[in-house]
Amino acid sequence: MSTTEPRVISHWIDGADSPSSSGRTAPVYNPATGAVQAHVGLADQAEIDAAIESAQRGYQIWKTYSIAKRQTVIFAFRELLNARKRELAEIITAEHGKVVSDAMGEILRGQEVVELATGFPHLIKGAFSENASTGVDVYSLKQPLGVVGIISPFNFPAMVPMWFFPVAIAAGNAVVLKPSEKDPSAALWLAQLWKEAGLPDGVFTVLQGDKLAVDGLLNSPIVQSISFVGSTPIAQYIYETASKNGKRVQALGGAKNHMLVLPDADLDLVADQAVNAGYGAAGERCMAISVVLAVEPVADELIAKVSERIANLRIGNGAGVDGVEPDMGPLITDVHRDKVASYVDIAEADGAKIVVDGRGLTIDGHEDGFFFGPTLIDDIPITSRAYTEEIFGPVLSVVRVQTFQEGLDLINSGEFGNGTAIFTNDGGAARRFQSEVEVGMIGINVPIPVPVAYHSFGGWKASLFGDAKAYGVHGFDFFTREKAITSRWLDPATHGGINLGFPQNN
């Protein structure tokens, strides 16, 4: 039996690994085996201060770089990431548990924002109005905020930070990233890549930690903004605390995303997309479809088609065995797995029918892994907590409705407004849906409508706190502030300036 202690994962401060001396750590599991593979150091106040002060020094250097020089660094980062993204995907799989192809997909979506950031010069340029009043010009400048904080969730340890930091860095800011303590290594890999790309030390800092680190960022007078993705209660806490301290905030919260299926929809397409959207990444994503609203008489046929597809899903170690990758990996921790199972218990107690039950799943050779099978629930009461609350696992519920309007009203009555989808071949129904649904991101025959990078990501209602969405034009507006300058220069020919040889009237 090995007596080797698991390694301790460090911070990244001043362009180098910075081991924590706080004496506090948290375990980092391999979700497929249940084994502790590392510990991560949790920052104390001295380490929080050191990280933020390093970022402030880095900002003072980075803000002086020309646009052309900043662009060169971002292009270098882009090329390095593209060449080595498989390394990052394997790190994500080892700590999060998602299959490697899911991890690669996560990175590719983050890469889109890096691509957007390479073209940043036209997104941060100001405007000019000549002769706004007689002899008076008015123009504007966009300048960086300074040091900005990013607080990232466990479910997308690469993509979510990449929603923010390419834009923030391109705009001239320095970033302090606090990743989830459950899967902290992706952030360090990204930090090393930035150093290779030529980013000055301190401009990208990784602060490992828990609530103490979060509060350190929220309360620091140096940190000018906070970007967050996570649960709604924490998003609201971050929004209120950071706003109280005078910071800009974009805090993206939870979701309960519905798919409305009309009777004219292609049910094979719907079943395929429901399985992908409900069980991909083991349901641990804020854009997962949680509820299918089936406009009768399609529910029975749709449930049969989804059940058939579930039976063919392969569940296992996300890293693959003998070169064969499964369709779905484990959940992030045993605590989270048990929480997901508790929602299925609630649904069953409330009278729902458990059509496919993922509770108690074990995988040969991985009996201690944090596995939970794809679960399908029919006739779930809309009063059940399993319907109203975000489960964040591979649980798909079906609610039978009689009309388009009944389905629309159910979506609009919910607490959240993150993403939704409609499946239909009727363009008029789709157009009415996109107009009337109270949700920030809408898919028409697309189950997970995450916008491309030159649009912006964010929901409505309890799914977004703050005025700015992630990336796109919203992102560049968020990470810059504008100066408006009103200027008058007197004509040297008439006001005694330097002699430029203008004709004089005697």
Side-chain angles (χ1 to χ4, degrees), residues 143 175 278:
Q143 296 184 331
V175 166

Side-chain angles (χ1 to χ4, degrees), residues 5 43 50 69 145 147 172 182 253 299 302 316 335 361 388 407 417 439 463 487:
E5 283 292 316
K69 196 171 180 180
L145 302 180
V147 176
K182 295 181 176 69
L302 181 57
V335 172
L361 176 69
T388 59
V439 169
S463 295
S487 171

